[in-house]
Amino acid sequence: MLLLPKQVVALPLQAQTFYQQLPAYEKARWKALINAEPNQKITDKSFILSGSDFSAEDEWLASYAHLQNNPGAICRFPARYRFMQTYTDLPVRNPLNICPEYRKFVENVPFDQLKLVYASADVSSPVTMMGHVMLATEGINNKGRLTRNSISFSVDLEQIKLLKDGWRTLVSGKEGYLAITPLKEHFDFYQNTEQRDVWSFTLILPERNLPLIRDHIWELKQTRLDYLFHSYNCATLIANILKISQPELDVSYWTSPLDVVQAAEKNQLISQSELRAASRWQHHQISDDDFPYPAKQNRDSQINIGFTISKRLGDVATLEWLPTSHTLEDYQLSRFSDSELKIAGITLEHQLVNNRTELQQLDFYSVVKLTPNKGLYDELSGRLQLGYKPFYDAKLTRQKTGYIEAGVGKTYPLTESLYLFGLINAGYRPLNDADGLYVRPEAGAYLYSSPFSTGKLKTRLTTSALRLKQDQWQQDYQFTQTFSFSGQALVLSYRHLTHDKDSENITQLVWKHYL
């Protein structure tokens, strides 16, 4: 038996009939209007009228009752009213005539055209490591002036409280801000202050849907929105807004800014694109082709299945899940940086010799940035990693342990596709027969090539020396060859470890699927 909220009990049965008669397509649009998918994350009681026992149908019934019995409620919910009026017996009302604040919003924020804006990621900062996505509006305001505004959802992460704020954005939620500001302010901030490239994509949306999207943003502007890094972020909110017009827009559960751009491209919502490069490039001969088009990049979640042959461990099968990340082995399109970002990655292994399955590696947080110094600007390369993974002791016996490692260095180009890098790394990990603190100088090269029309190659060669204790050093040589094609990749790697007279050889083949 369905238990309805008190304000719904007295409703005539036609309210339920109205909802049940909605086409599936329109029910999906209704869910977007109340932010019901993938999971209902808005808890503000001024927005969710059906109480804690939430469902799309109950929210429809509660909204119908509220709008029917309170003529002034249209000022709080003009989008719901506009949508429901088409499918119910709600009387015809125009909020412009009775809602002065709403009218001011409509006059100052024209919605003649809507664009999707993507600011590129910068893994060197926790605030910018996933990029940012927002909407941009354009039109003639009530004073006859061309007006461009940005609609952006973000959270204020104070550097001094980064650990506390990070926990809140992952678990409990931290109050976010839906800001509507002049678009030029955002462009100036990203291009000049943060030195990030910005892409604008003109959206193809039915003109009749723009007022509904505008009214929905008005509703959200008056709502408390809790920011959750993995489930309700800038990309989640923008994707929900676009679903009002395109409910079949498909994004992953952990939605990233890149996911939204790629979903818009896949659903043919983009008519044209425009790049605004960071200001540091303005005096150099660089074309748009030098910058990776976001829709063509690999998606930033991946499942990896591998098979490893080890001299000491025998044959090992691995399964890796990276919910939001890319690795140094991945083929990256940018000419200006090679990087890695792993958050909450997990790898399981199954040892075929003893038929045992166990945890191999946890990547709580891993950031590596190798930025070439091309004479255009001077920037350090570096790494910061925190997790749990296998290390090898003085006898080259594998031990799994937690660790933290940081490093700094430089990257230099030899050609347009061949780069050399060097890093001085230091870290800590508890290990038998070795000091906890260690240093690990590292040098290497990576090469990008496209010898095939159907795929791309990335080759990496690295060497490092890990200090075990006193004058004992463990040598580590690695070769990796990546063949990337159609949202997938094959990675072949060989690793040779030596210490004193002992050695270990590890060969691995991994299939990557980006999703």
Side-chain angles (χ1 to χ4, degrees):
M1 178 179 177
L2 178 65
L3 297 177
L4 299 177
K6 292 181 179 179
Q7 68 266 38
V8 180
V9 173
L11 278 177
L13 289 177
Q14 68 258 32
Q16 287 178 303
T17 304
F18 290 143
Y19 183 80
Q20 292 165 0
Q21 290 177 345
L22 276 179
Y25 182 85
E26 297 301 324
K27 284 183 178 178
R29 296 180 69 206
W30 168 251
K31 289 179 180 179
L33 276 175
I34 59 174
N35 277 233
E37 291 184 348
N39 290 306
Q40 209 288 317
K41 293 296 181 183
I42 298 179
T43 57
D44 188 338
K45 293 181 181 179
S46 73
F47 185 84
I48 299 299
L49 304 179
S50 56
S52 57
D53 188 19
F54 173 84
S55 73
E57 182 173 355
D58 284 352
E59 190 65 20
W60 171 277
L61 299 177
S63 299
Y64 177 84
H66 187 59
L67 293 168
Q68 185 75 278
N69 298 327
N70 301 280
I74 192 175
C75 299
R76 175 65 176 92
F77 296 110
R80 296 192 196 191
Y81 200 97
R82 182 186 295 273
F83 184 83
M84 299 182 77
Q85 190 180 60
T86 306
Y87 299 101
T88 69
D89 58 354
L90 287 174
V92 176
R93 293 184 186 137
N94 187 348
L96 290 173
N97 298 330
I98 58 176
C99 310
E101 292 301 317
Y102 167 78
R103 181 175 180 175
K104 186 186 298 183
F105 167 73
V106 171
E107 290 175 345
N108 292 330
V109 187
F111 267 71
D112 299 343
Q113 189 178 74
L114 200 61
K115 294 184 178 181
L116 186 65
V117 177
Y118 171 75
S120 62
D122 182 357
V123 299
S124 61
S125 168
V127 179
T128 63
M129 62 187 178
M130 296 300 296
H132 183 65
V133 68
M134 58 185 177
L135 293 175
T137 68
E138 183 175 310
I140 306 299
N141 65 11
N142 63 321
K143 297 179 181 179
R145 297 175 181 171
L146 179 64
T147 304
R148 298 183 177 93
N149 291 290
S150 64
I151 300 165
S152 176
F153 181 52
S154 60
V155 65
D156 182 19
L157 288 177
E158 301 178 42
Q159 295 294 334
I160 194 170
K161 300 178 181 177
L162 195 56
L163 186 60
K164 176 183 175 183
D165 286 348
W167 174 257
R168 290 174 64 188
T169 61
L170 284 171
V171 180
S172 60
K174 179 176 170 62
E175 185 175 3
Y177 303 95
L178 183 63
I180 301 175
T181 57
L183 183 60
K184 185 179 183 301
E185 293 182 9
H186 263 115
F187 283 154
D188 288 344
F189 176 71
Y190 288 130
Q191 291 178 263
N192 301 321
T193 304
E194 292 197 338
Q195 292 297 310
R196 296 161 69 186
D197 307 317
V198 183
W199 289 86
S200 298
F201 305 95
T202 302
L203 295 174
I204 307 171
L205 300 176
E207 189 175 341
R208 66 181 182 278
N209 290 336
L210 294 180
L212 186 62
I213 291 175
R214 176 200 63 203
D215 291 355
H216 178 61
I217 291 170
W218 166 260
E219 294 179 7
L220 292 177
K221 193 75 176 69
Q222 303 172 76
T223 304
R224 178 188 169 108
L225 304 171
D226 287 329
Y227 188 101
L228 285 158
F229 178 75
H230 63 293
S231 59
Y232 200 79
N233 52 44
C234 65
T236 315
L237 184 137
I238 297 302
N240 276 332
I241 291 175
L242 294 180
K243 285 181 180 180
I244 294 172
S245 179
Q246 195 85 7
E248 62 269 27
L249 196 75
D250 183 28
V251 292
S252 61
Y253 169 74
W254 193 328
T255 306
S256 72
L258 193 61
D259 288 334
V260 179
V261 176
Q262 292 176 338
E265 176 83 7
K266 181 180 178 181
N267 284 269
Q268 300 180 338
L269 298 184
I270 296 174
S271 63
Q272 62 184 33
S273 62
E274 179 184 1
L275 169 67
R276 287 177 170 84
S279 60
R280 62 190 175 198
W281 308 121
Q282 290 178 1
H283 301 294
H284 300 281
Q285 301 262 338
I286 295 176
S287 69
D288 289 2
D289 294 336
D290 294 319
F291 298 85
Y293 186 63
K296 293 183 179 180
Q297 296 182 46
N298 288 326
R299 301 195 70 173
D300 47 16
S301 298
Q302 54 184 271
I303 292 178
N304 305 325
I305 299 173
F307 183 76
T308 304
I309 301 174
S310 168
K311 185 172 72 174
R312 295 173 180 246
L313 281 179
D315 298 341
V316 179
T318 58
L319 176 64
E320 182 180 30
W321 163 238
L322 298 174
T324 176
S325 56
H326 60 274
T327 72
L328 287 173
E329 292 77 31
D330 295 326
Y331 191 99
Q332 298 171 36
L333 296 176
S334 175
R335 278 183 55 201
F336 307 116
S337 180
D338 205 47
S339 64
E340 173 174 283
L341 172 64
K342 294 182 182 180
I343 301 174
I346 182 171
T347 305
L348 301 176
E349 68 176 23
H350 180 74
Q351 300 173 12
L352 276 64
V353 174
N354 52 27
N355 196 29
R356 184 171 64 189
T357 301
E358 57 188 38
L359 176 66
Q360 182 187 86
Q361 184 167 328
L362 283 175
D363 296 296
F364 297 120
Y365 181 73
S366 175
V367 169
V368 183
K369 186 176 182 182
L370 304 175
T371 304
N373 289 275
K374 292 175 173 278
L376 304 179
Y377 67 103
D378 189 27
E379 188 170 336
L380 291 174
S381 296
R383 74 166 69 239
L384 176 61
Q385 296 173 303
L386 173 66
Y388 170 90
K389 72 174 185 179
F391 283 83
Y392 291 84
D393 62 18
K395 297 180 180 179
L396 294 184
T397 301
R398 193 178 71 154
Q399 298 180 36
K400 298 173 187 174
T401 182
Y403 79 104
I404 183 171
E405 181 175 296
V408 65
K410 287 281 191 176
T411 303
Y412 298 96
L414 290 185
T415 69
E416 287 296 321
S417 55
L418 176 61
Y419 305 86
L420 299 179
F421 67 90
L423 299 172
I424 300 296
N425 305 298
Y428 175 81
R429 45 81 178 100
L431 197 67
N432 296 335
D433 299 326
D435 296 335
L437 293 171
Y438 66 88
V439 293
R440 189 177 67 87
E442 175 187 13
Y446 57 94
L447 170 69
Y448 286 95
S449 57
S450 303
F452 312 111
S453 59
T454 57
K456 301 178 183 296
L457 292 179
K458 179 180 182 179
T459 307
R460 285 180 55 84
L461 180 64
T462 63
T463 178
S464 64
L466 176 64
R467 183 182 181 275
L468 298 174
K469 55 184 178 181
Q470 297 178 348
D471 295 328
Q472 296 186 31
W473 293 83
Q474 181 185 98
Q475 301 295 323
D476 189 349
Y477 307 92
Q478 297 187 46
F479 170 82
T480 304
Q481 180 68 68
T482 302
F483 176 52
S484 181
F485 58 98
S486 304
Q488 302 175 74
L490 283 175
V491 181
L492 176 65
S493 64
Y494 173 74
R495 185 180 184 187
H496 178 66
L497 291 159
T498 64
H499 176 253
D500 200 9
K501 296 181 181 180
D502 294 318
S503 65
E504 168 71 309
N505 298 307
I506 304 168
T507 303
Q508 186 179 49
L509 180 64
V510 175
W511 171 73
K512 289 173 170 272
H513 179 63
Y514 303 101
L515 67 159

